[in-house]
Amino acid sequence: CSMITAELRTHSAYSFGDGAVTPEALVARAAELGYGALGLTDTADLGGVVRFVMACREHRVRPVIGAELVVDGQPLALLAQNKRGYAHLAGLVTRSRSGDLTDTTLPRAARGRPRLTWDQVATRAAGLQLLTGPSSGAVATLVQQDRILEATRLLHQWREVFSGRVAVEVQCHQTGSDEAALAGALIALAERAGVPWLVAQDCRYIDRGGRLVHDMLTALRHGVTLDAMVAQGLGHPNGGWILLDPRVLAERWKGREDGLAANAAIADSCDCNLAWVRPPLPTFAVPGGHDDNSFLRERAMAGAHERWGATLTRQHQLPVNHELTAIGRLGFAGFFLVMLDTIHYAQQRGILCQGRGSAANSAVAYC
């Protein structure tokens, strides 16, 4: 098969209490297995994105950035197709985590649990690809309850809101006949509705040791022992939530390759760029003859003389020059100038200013 092998549904350790592998290890294993593209869909979290994309760049794997979100009580996944989609995804993650923190009517144990309403998602659908989620997702739940007409209506509603960017997620971890029947029913639903379906492992680990870590995390999440977790059926029934060898996937889905091809097509539609996660930095109105870097240097050296006197020693000059070079290379000069203006404003009005964190160890900030 000439198409790239892609897996769009993985969880790293940034799915806290659930993912059992670092983004770097996940990407390295995907590259070792021959994957051409990989999607990261941590639970209501984008904290692993930079590490994930950098690892993908190193291993020549195409990155796809996404997240799994709980919407009206049930999970689904969203993938960013472009910069606008990433901004919407970040907004939804933030909203899901912060929306109920101040709601004092909720029980204390429930506050802060990531969740959204469909209306909140619908207003940020542009630039996002929707995947219908695992067996506990809304569409799969309706199918399991034999409410096929309602599942079809929901699928059409989602497709309309997302301008067709919807795919039915089909998972098969070989847990038994019920899972196999659900997979078949979901494929049939997708084909009748004219919606693509895709194969998803929704993996949490990359080896047997990772499966044990995941079991331990699951037990901790539920506040029970490992034995109690097994007895109560709280964990996964087998080690199937793993990043599979593409040859195993091809054999497992022989004759139903559409689901594998859909993964590749969706990966191709997602253009991930680390520039998305770089915030716009401020510019500053500098005097004529200056740019941000030269004016910051002038102000820093003036401040150095105020701090250390008319004659600067090499010990004074080296850290200032080193930092100014780094600031210029990273494009942060405008940020420092805005902060300088803020501090001057405060000083003129008797407002206390105090450096914190790395500012306390910065020669430029001191000057």
Side-chain angles (χ1 to χ4, degrees), residues 111-122:
R111 291 169 63 193
R113 290 184 180 176
R115 59 187 183 180
L116 292 162
T117 66
W118 171 251
D119 289 341
Q120 289 169 334
V121 173

Side-chain angles (χ1 to χ4, degrees), residues 118-135:
W118 171 251
D119 289 341
Q120 289 169 334
V121 173
T123 60
R124 293 178 172 91
L128 291 173
Q129 165 77 44
L130 184 147
L131 309 182
T132 57
S135 59

